Amino acid sequence: MLNMGRFPVMRVKPLIAVPLIAIALAGCSTQQPTEETSTAAAQEQPLFSSDEEALAAAQAAYANYLVVSDQIARDGGANPERLKGLVSTQLFEESADVYKTYKEQSITVEGATSFDSLHIGEISQNSASYYVCLDVGKTKLLNADGIDVTPVGRQSRLPIIFEVRVTNSSATIESSEVWSGRNYC
Amino acid sequence: MALGLIFSSINTTEALAASGSCSTAAAVAGICTNAQTSNNSVNVWGRTTIPGGSSSVVAPAGRTTNSRPAVVTPVYFPSSLAFRCLGLVSPSPQCRKTPATPAPAPVTYAPITLSDLANFVPQSASLTSQPRGWTVVNLNTNFIAGASTHVVGGSLFGRSAEVRFTPHAYDWNYGDGGTQTTSVAGARWDALGLREFSPTSTSHVYGSEGSFSTSVTVRYGAEYRVGGGAWIPVSGEVSSAATSTVVIVQSADTVLAARDCTAGRTAPGC
């Protein structure tokens, strides 16, 4: 079981400033996970001890994901390997495809993404899903000449459902999909 | 009735490959899709358009213009329709929908939006009654709808597109003013282990003689996928076209007869 105490426990704010959370994460990342037992009783314990803890874990993992994604985009898609370990193999490959295009077409991204309205979807034995509003409205795609080539009709706020997989030592973003129901963002 | 998949995005085919998956990188690039139901139809879209521009200097706000002879180059993601249609990859039949490459400077050009539409209509249910075609006043008439999970295929921007329909509910209209909604399609009396004219979850009792048109409409849940990816649920339900059958309702009297009346019309009691 993951020692969730290494994530900052906080209430979700209407708007989450990603860089601040990244700093918080950096401060927490040096802590060592505590020892755990493998008894049957431990196996039956819930993934998180409270909803606040579940939200804090997702908040930290998703914020870290956005911070690293933003940095790669700012670097024109260079070194997408920085996402490895933060996301699943599939999500990494999907992201890497996009960054490859950035690189080939000399696209860089200015600005930062953010998220808000984080809600718990479902918590299972070793993963949990969450709803969130992803805001990309403050980012711009720039070509090699510094000209804004952001797609004209780009949706700036997307309803996203993402899954966090929790292992002994980490929480990774397993998947990220556009919510197919009513747009709650 | 119809499921309409509407794509209006130059980069949609890229998003289609992701089949609903939306990384942050894809969201920033504007190539994520979404889907919603509306009036028994489903619209799936990717809100992206090739940006327009001008051969004159186009600079982000706050910058001073200079002599850069720029034409804004749209961002083409590999496998996107525009990418192929501009000859960067193999041309596809859909390329006829692609406006010509913007002419060199000095001209202005409008944003380009590509769209495609495919309609996906769920199958109607079959409908049978017991007894078949006739029944008796004040006795239960059993109705059975035939509907099952099925996949309807099509194509969108040259890629395979499928919608899977799963029956959720059955709306019955018995033609005499009686209606009900059931979660089951109904089953034959013998399959249920019941005697004839027994009540079932889908049966109905007619209170008077006449000819009645009974109909059933199936409400389906829908999922879609493009390019053989994972199924993506679509919120809401889609109704099939109604299926009807005519039932003749007659009165019946119980009498004692010497023998089977159908065998001998002159038998006492017939």
Side-chain angles (χ1 to χ4, degrees), chain B residues 9-110:
Chain B
S9 164
I10 183 61
N11 295 319
T12 298
T13 47
E14 171 77 8
L16 299 183
S19 289
S21 187
C22 177
S23 67
T24 301
V28 170
I31 55 175
C32 292
T33 58
N34 201 347
Q36 287 177 341
T37 55
S38 175
N39 296 325
N40 281 336
S41 68
V42 175
N43 298 329
V44 182
W45 69 90
R47 297 174 187 270
T48 304
T49 305
I50 298 175
S54 166
S55 62
S56 58
V57 176
V58 179
R63 292 192 181 192
T64 55
T65 58
N66 52 34
S67 58
R68 182 178 295 136
V71 172
V72 177
T73 305
V75 183
Y76 297 118
F77 288 86
S79 83
S80 74
L81 185 63
F83 192 82
R84 289 186 322 230
C85 291
L86 291 174
L88 299 175
V89 186
S90 59
S92 79
Q94 286 71 37
C95 292
R96 62 180 178 276
K97 295 181 179 179
T98 309
T101 306
V107 294
T108 58
Y109 53 94

Side-chain angles (χ1 to χ4, degrees), chain A residues 65 94 101 105 153-154 176 179-180, chain B residues 21-22 28 35 47 76 78 233:
Chain A
Y65 165 51
E94 289 172 13
T101 303
Q105 301 189 25
R154 182 183 66 175
S176 171
W179 172 239
S180 61
Chain B
S21 187
C22 177
V28 170
R47 297 174 187 270
Y76 297 118

Side-chain angles (χ1 to χ4, degrees), chain A residues 112-114 134-139 154-158, chain B residues 24 27-28:
Chain A
T113 55
S114 62
L134 172 62
D135 195 327
V136 300
K138 293 184 174 63
T139 62
R154 182 183 66 175
Q155 200 169 351
S156 60
R157 286 176 58 78
L158 294 110
Chain B
T24 301
V28 170

Side-chain angles (χ1 to χ4, degrees), chain B:
Chain B
M1 275 332 154
L3 282 179
L5 292 186
I6 302 171
F7 294 84
S8 57
S9 164
I10 183 61
N11 295 319
T12 298
T13 47
E14 171 77 8
L16 299 183
S19 289
S21 187
C22 177
S23 67
T24 301
V28 170
I31 55 175
C32 292
T33 58
N34 201 347
Q36 287 177 341
T37 55
S38 175
N39 296 325
N40 281 336
S41 68
V42 175
N43 298 329
V44 182
W45 69 90
R47 297 174 187 270
T48 304
T49 305
I50 298 175
S54 166
S55 62
S56 58
V57 176
V58 179
R63 292 192 181 192
T64 55
T65 58
N66 52 34
S67 58
R68 182 178 295 136
V71 172
V72 177
T73 305
V75 183
Y76 297 118
F77 288 86
S79 83
S80 74
L81 185 63
F83 192 82
R84 289 186 322 230
C85 291
L86 291 174
L88 299 175
V89 186
S90 59
S92 79
Q94 286 71 37
C95 292
R96 62 180 178 276
K97 295 181 179 179
T98 309
T101 306
V107 294
T108 58
Y109 53 94
I112 301 167
T113 299
L114 293 182
S115 62
D116 197 0
L117 172 66
N119 290 313
F120 295 87
V121 181
Q123 294 171 359
S124 296
S126 63
L127 177 59
T128 57
S129 65
Q130 280 187 294
R132 187 161 191 161
W134 67 273
T135 190
V136 180
V137 173
N138 294 329
L139 293 182
N140 277 285
T141 307
N142 190 27
F143 291 96
I144 305 107
S148 59
T149 298
H150 61 280
V151 174
V152 179
S155 71
L156 206 65
F157 282 127
R159 298 172 66 99
S160 71
E162 298 170 295
V163 174
R164 182 164 65 186
F165 297 100
T166 304
H168 280 181
Y170 302 82
D171 294 324
W172 301 88
N173 185 328
Y174 295 104
D176 63 346
T179 60
Q180 76 159 335
T181 296
T182 64
S183 60
V184 296
R188 299 181 62 83
W189 278 316
D190 51 350
L192 294 171
L194 299 173
R195 298 184 61 181
E196 288 185 338
F197 301 106
S198 297
T200 69
S201 56
T202 57
S203 65
H204 181 66
V205 175
Y206 289 97
S208 60
E209 291 185 325
S211 175
F212 300 96
S213 178
T214 298
S215 66
V216 63
T217 300
V218 185
R219 275 188 272 143
Y220 290 98
E223 302 159 287
Y224 78 99
R225 70 176 179 181
V226 182
W231 289 106
I232 303 166
V234 179
S235 183
E237 293 179 327
V238 180
S239 293
S240 71
T243 305
S244 301
T245 188
V246 174
V247 177
I248 308 296
V249 183
Q250 297 175 317
S251 295
D253 293 321
T254 303
V255 295
L256 285 174
R259 57 176 180 254
D260 185 354
C261 288
T262 59
R265 287 180 296 168
T266 59
C270 289

